[in-house]
Amino acid sequence: MKLTRIFAVAIATLGLAGFSGVASADAAAGKAKFEAACAECHEVADFEGTSAADITATLKKIVAGQQKHKTALKLTDAEIADLAACLSAGK
Ligand code: HEC
């Protein structure tokens, strides 16, 4: 009885944590943005295996001009989140 309850709470917590991490990201929008702004030089598959958090951090640095990139990138935080969702999934 008690164990079942702990299990249920753990599942609910995990579910919430997993969901909140991507709540505002839209991988489909990220893909559209990628096709429009990045596909000239990159392929989505190039980023497969990189975590969304790493891609987000890198893109923020590039946008802020703190990381060297072929071209200056202008992306909103929402676009960065969408791109990270799309790219980390490799599709
Ligand atoms: C004109 C070509 C070009 C375009 C357009 C372009 N990139 Fe890049 N990108 C590069 C090159 C070349 C590199 C390798 C690093 C460098 O600039 O020397 C790179 C590096 C990166 C990296 C870092 C990879 C790493 O392993 O650190 C990320 C992330 C990235 N690009 C994302 C994007 C995104 C997202 C877009 C679209 C919004 C984009 N790039 C558009 C050419 C481009």
Side-chain angles (χ1 to χ4, degrees):
M1 174 68 180
K2 208 176 167 201
L3 263 182
T4 312
R5 177 125 186 247
I6 290 169
F7 189 60
V9 171
I11 293 288
T13 310
L14 276 176
L16 275 179
F19 184 71
S20 64
V22 292
S24 61
D26 179 345
K31 173 97 181 200
K33 180 73 190 174
F34 189 89
E35 297 294 342
C38 326
E40 172 193 348
C41 305
H42 294 286
E43 283 183 40
V44 175
D46 293 346
F47 299 93
E48 192 171 5
T50 312
S51 74
D54 283 353
I55 292 171
T56 300
T58 302
L59 288 180
K60 286 197 169 172
K61 276 192 235 160
I62 292 174
V63 169
Q66 294 162 351
Q67 179 164 327
K68 198 174 164 282
H69 188 253
K70 185 93 175 162
T71 56
L73 294 182
K74 256 196 181 168
L75 301 167
T76 64
D77 282 356
E79 285 170 339
I80 289 175
D82 294 348
L83 282 163
C86 163
L87 299 179
S88 61
K91 58 190 176 185

